[in-house]
Amino acid sequence: MTITIEQPHLGAVAEKKVAGGDPAELVLDGGFVVPDSNAFGDTFRNYDAESERKKTVEEFYRTNHINQTYDFVRRMREEYGRLEKTEMGVWECIELLNEFIDDSDPDLEMPQIEHLLQTAEAIRKDYPDQDWLHLTGLIHDLGKVLLHPSFGQLPQWAVVGDTFPVGCAFDECNVHFKYFKENPDYRNPKLSTKFGAYSEGCGLDNVLMSWGHDDYMYLVAKENKIALPSAGLFIIRYHSFYPLHKHGAYTHLMNDEDKENLKWLHVFNKYDLYSKSNVRIDVEKVKPYYMSLIDKVCLI
């Protein structure tokens, strides 16, 4: 699978200064209006709100935080980095996601294909000329096919959820941080310091992230030489890295390219998070556009 797409330029999107804030701070804003509440009537990413999802979500993070160790991630990257499970087209993979609901998500209880299309369509509306970003929105969660038997049928704790570096100290801003205390790495003196296995400014490409759909899809994109711009690959690998792009944690590991790409991730994240709703996308209506985009940039 090969993709060729024009490199993005930050100047191509609307820029404005933050009112009352740092005059040097750049805001990239396509006009998307953030809704007041999620599908359950609560604020987005509220992990303490009483809802039908609360118990499921907390149990997910308990299991995730205990089991996502440095050694586990290395094993998963070695096994799945070979890309030997199966071969499948992009839209075929998208349709597989009809079968799955993300146990880590407190904001939505709908099949994942809905989320992909909601994200992509919201981006397309505000950035009609940035087709690389439409495509990124469409495929950013495609790695969740790891839940399917064809791709190994991994448990949800090894596929979805917020991501974080392994091999260094777990930052307290991570959701349900308390459960990390049961992770073997939490007590490992070599892996529990600020830098752990890494060095300052080493670049996120050199950091092992908790294993899941983000890292898997990133490996797929690289191995298949998908020529998305650097920002697109960055979005795919780090869109669930909320400790970084929401709380500013782990910035000591970033290099200059990471910092530039983070601007695009902030643009993307708004659509990834706040486009979630119970309003269904007419799949057959939008499918021709996305198929034409896939045909344009993918040789599959």
Side-chain angles (χ1 to χ4, degrees):
M1 180 164 57
T2 303
I3 294 181
T4 55
I5 250 175
E6 185 177 342
Q7 295 288 325
H9 300 285
L10 288 176
V13 292
E15 302 178 4
K16 64 181 181 180
K17 302 298 182 183
V18 179
D22 183 346
E25 186 175 355
L26 179 68
V27 173
L28 306 170
D29 186 0
F32 182 73
V33 178
V34 175
D36 294 328
S37 60
N38 64 15
F40 300 99
D42 300 314
T43 55
F44 283 85
R45 287 180 58 82
N46 185 344
Y47 291 91
D48 296 318
E50 294 297 333
S51 74
E52 301 170 14
R53 303 284 292 155
K54 181 179 179 181
K55 185 178 293 186
T56 296
V57 172
E58 181 161 357
E59 176 57 24
F60 163 85
Y61 276 106
R62 186 189 71 82
T63 310
N64 172 276
H65 290 354
I66 292 172
N67 290 287
Q68 289 277 1
T69 66
Y70 186 70
D71 286 343
F72 170 75
V73 171
R74 291 176 66 182
R75 291 198 308 272
M76 290 296 100
R77 280 193 128 230
E78 181 179 356
E79 177 181 353
Y80 281 88
R82 294 193 290 266
L83 305 182
E84 296 174 343
K85 297 296 181 181
T86 189
E87 185 173 332
M88 199 171 290
V90 173
W91 196 266
E92 192 177 358
C93 285
I94 290 171
E95 290 181 332
L96 284 185
L97 297 184
N98 265 324
E99 303 178 27
F100 303 108
I101 293 171
D102 187 337
D103 282 348
S104 72
D105 193 341
D107 298 320
L108 190 66
E109 193 170 34
M110 294 176 68
Q112 285 298 291
I113 187 174
E114 295 288 336
H115 171 54
L116 294 184
L117 290 171
Q118 286 174 350
T119 303
E121 281 293 280
I123 293 171
R124 182 183 170 196
K125 179 181 178 181
D126 287 352
Y127 297 100
D129 299 325
Q130 303 290 330
D131 56 358
W132 71 272
L133 199 55
H134 310 166
L135 181 66
T136 302
L138 183 70
I139 69 173
H140 77 283
D141 272 351
L142 208 54
K144 291 180 181 180
V145 293
L146 290 174
L147 296 167
H148 195 274
S150 298
F151 291 86
Q153 200 170 14
L154 291 178
Q156 290 233 0
W157 66 262
V159 179
V160 300
D162 286 10
T163 59
F164 46 86
V166 295
C168 61
F170 303 114
D171 194 277
E172 292 187 7
C173 72
N174 281 289
V175 173
H176 292 304
F177 170 80
K178 59 188 176 184
Y179 295 121
F180 282 119
K181 295 178 181 180
E182 300 177 56
N183 184 306
D185 291 354
Y186 185 83
R187 299 181 297 276
N188 186 325
K190 295 182 179 180
L191 303 177
S192 57
T193 63
K194 179 178 180 179
F195 292 104
Y198 314 113
S199 60
E200 185 168 9
C202 63
L204 294 179
D205 266 353
N206 296 305
V207 173
L208 289 184
M209 299 295 295
S210 54
W211 177 251
H213 71 281
D214 313 62
D215 208 25
Y216 175 64
M217 191 61 199
Y218 171 73
L219 293 176
V220 169
K222 287 191 67 177
E223 181 66 24
N224 285 281
K225 295 181 172 56
I226 296 178
L228 276 173
S230 174
L233 295 175
F234 189 90
I235 288 168
I236 288 172
R237 192 179 191 217
Y238 304 112
H239 66 271
S240 301
F241 190 7
Y242 278 88
L244 170 67
H245 59 71
K246 181 177 181 180
H247 300 287
Y250 301 104
T251 55
H252 55 282
L253 300 175
M254 298 173 68
N255 60 23
D256 289 341
E257 184 178 12
D258 295 330
K259 293 172 184 176
E260 188 65 23
N261 284 333
L262 184 59
K263 298 175 184 178
W264 275 107
L265 181 53
H266 282 303
V267 172
F268 177 85
N269 178 250
K270 182 168 56 175
Y271 297 90
D272 182 19
L273 178 59
Y274 297 116
S275 66
K276 297 173 184 176
S277 75
N278 286 326
V279 178
R280 307 293 292 267
I281 297 291
D282 186 336
V283 177
E284 294 307 311
K285 181 179 179 179
V286 302
K287 182 178 178 180
Y289 169 73
Y290 291 105
M291 286 302 299
S292 69
L293 182 57
I294 291 167
D295 290 341
K296 171 185 173 184
V297 299
C298 302
L299 299 178
I300 57 173

